[in-house]
Amino acid sequence: MKGFVFSEFRPDEGKPPFQRLLDMFMELLQYTSGDASEALNWLTQLDRQYGLTNDDYGIGDFIEDLKNNGYLEEQPLDGRFRITAKTEQGIRQRSLDEIFGKLKKTKSGNHRTNKTGQGDELNPETRSYEFGDALETIDFTGSIRNSLINHGIDQLSMHQEDLEIYETDFKTQTSTVLMIDISHSMILYGEDRITPAKKVAMALSELITTRYPKDTLDIVVFGNDAWQITMKDLPYLEVGPYHTNTVAGLELAMDILRRRKNQNKQIFMITDGKPTCLKIGGKYYKNSFGIDSKIL
């Protein structure tokens, strides 16, 4: 039986130079928290070390193509580069593809339930036709059978009481709050946990907004305190000199969900460990050592 075979990594030579460099640039942006100038600097260093470009197409050409294609803007005051909304959306989409696979956008994007009701997902169960039911849900085979039973084969006629329709699965909406830990432990001891956390957050937000557009999504970050951010802020997210006040994050998340009118509500939390901080009155109680029952 043939097992795993490891070989030297060979990049996709079939891609145009711009596309190959764009893939690397998008990946580097997640490590630089959206700092385009720093990402380009890293890309230049990689080019010098590994020969990513050639005489026909260099880093300068790549930067010009980024600007021409709407991925990059140059600030007039200091000359620094800044990524655009197109790049931000591209980063989220790439995170979605990387984590969840090649997912396609759906037409309606609502959540299935085990309840019957108005929807566009037919199921095998049928019931009698009622005024107002959609004609496209009629079970013609069952309706003709009922007509033959009720009126005989010699005089074929169809009445309302003969009609059967397929039940449809009701689809519902969900309100989601995504919590992200930005405490110092997310980069402690040289271990980068915030970049994978951002990737998951961007993938999840892109999945919800594209596949379930009728849902609501709110994003909360928490350290010593908790506050809301927008989806476009995710690529720029950085950790701070904070402890982990999970209670503050949960309180804000639940407060947001209380204001949502959907009955289906959920909280996703991305964190690397235990709570280490609690705000009591106007002061912070902190303990990074062991399990503190006061915080928990």
Side-chain angles (χ1 to χ4, degrees):
M1 183 177 67
K2 188 176 182 180
F4 293 101
V5 177
F6 296 92
S7 61
E8 181 183 356
F9 172 72
R10 299 181 184 277
D12 187 0
E13 300 295 340
K15 286 185 177 181
F18 172 75
Q19 190 61 50
R20 286 192 289 107
L21 292 175
L22 180 63
D23 290 342
M24 286 182 274
F25 177 64
M26 289 287 198
E27 183 70 20
L28 291 173
L29 282 172
Q30 299 180 65
Y31 289 90
T32 63
S33 297
D35 189 327
S37 297
E38 186 176 1
L40 288 172
N41 183 35
W42 289 9
L43 186 62
T44 302
Q45 295 180 40
L46 290 172
D47 179 36
R48 290 172 182 168
Q49 185 171 356
Y50 298 103
L52 303 177
T53 62
N54 51 41
D55 294 337
D56 296 328
Y57 192 87
I59 295 296
D61 300 313
F62 174 63
I63 293 175
E64 287 301 314
D65 284 345
L66 285 175
K67 292 191 288 186
N68 294 335
N69 287 282
Y71 289 100
L72 207 61
E73 294 176 341
E74 189 171 0
Q75 301 299 301
L77 296 179
D78 55 9
R80 288 182 63 84
F81 293 111
R82 181 177 179 274
I83 62 175
T84 63
K86 179 179 180 179
T87 310
E88 294 168 355
Q89 197 278 332
I91 294 173
R92 294 195 301 269
Q93 183 62 47
R94 287 167 186 269
S95 298
L96 174 64
D97 292 340
E98 179 180 345
I99 294 175
F100 291 103
K102 300 293 183 181
L103 296 176
K104 297 180 180 179
K105 295 182 180 179
T106 60
K107 181 173 61 176
S108 59
N110 294 329
H111 301 274
R112 291 185 180 180
T113 70
N114 57 2
K115 307 294 184 182
T116 58
Q118 185 177 1
D120 56 9
E121 192 76 20
L122 297 179
N123 67 47
E125 297 179 1
T126 61
R127 61 173 173 83
S128 299
Y129 174 85
E130 296 177 1
F131 179 77
D133 288 332
L135 296 180
E136 59 266 23
T137 62
I138 292 177
D139 175 13
F140 288 100
T141 302
S143 299
I144 293 173
R145 183 186 64 246
N146 292 340
S147 175
L148 294 174
I149 294 173
N150 295 334
H151 310 293
I153 194 171
D154 296 328
Q155 189 177 2
L156 181 61
S157 61
M158 184 76 68
H159 300 272
Q160 179 174 329
E161 58 269 19
D162 301 326
L163 296 177
E164 286 189 5
I165 67 164
Y166 288 108
E167 289 278 24
T168 56
D169 289 333
F170 179 75
K171 292 187 175 182
T172 188
Q173 299 178 3
T174 299
S175 291
T176 301
V177 174
L178 176 61
M179 293 174 52
I180 307 171
D181 182 358
I182 57 169
S183 63
H184 181 66
S185 62
M186 295 293 279
I187 56 169
L188 198 60
Y189 308 123
E191 296 183 16
D192 181 11
R193 302 179 183 92
I194 189 62
T195 300
K198 286 194 295 185
K199 283 187 178 183
V200 172
M202 288 187 289
L204 185 60
S205 62
E206 187 71 7
L207 175 65
I208 290 175
T209 54
T210 56
R211 194 170 183 184
Y212 307 108
K214 294 181 181 179
D215 284 10
T216 63
L217 173 65
D218 296 280
I219 304 171
V220 170
V221 295
F222 62 101
N224 290 349
D225 296 288
W227 60 94
Q228 259 186 283
I229 64 171
T230 63
M231 188 170 63
K232 68 184 298 295
D233 296 325
L234 285 174
Y236 310 99
L237 205 58
E238 295 182 288
V239 301
Y242 309 125
H243 285 68
T244 308
N245 191 346
T246 308
V247 171
L250 287 172
E251 286 179 342
L252 178 56
M254 289 187 290
D255 184 57
I256 292 170
L257 290 179
R258 272 192 291 267
R259 298 196 299 267
R260 297 297 183 187
K261 296 181 179 180
N262 290 335
Q263 292 187 353
N264 301 306
K265 303 175 182 182
Q266 58 188 1
I267 298 174
F268 291 111
M269 179 167 59
I270 302 175
T271 182
D272 68 324
K274 60 183 177 62
T276 59
C277 177
L278 187 66
K279 193 172 185 179
I280 304 174
K283 297 182 179 180
Y284 297 97
Y285 173 78
K286 304 173 184 177
N287 185 1
S288 301
F289 303 99
I291 304 298
D292 192 323
S293 59
K294 184 175 182 178
I295 296 177
L296 295 178

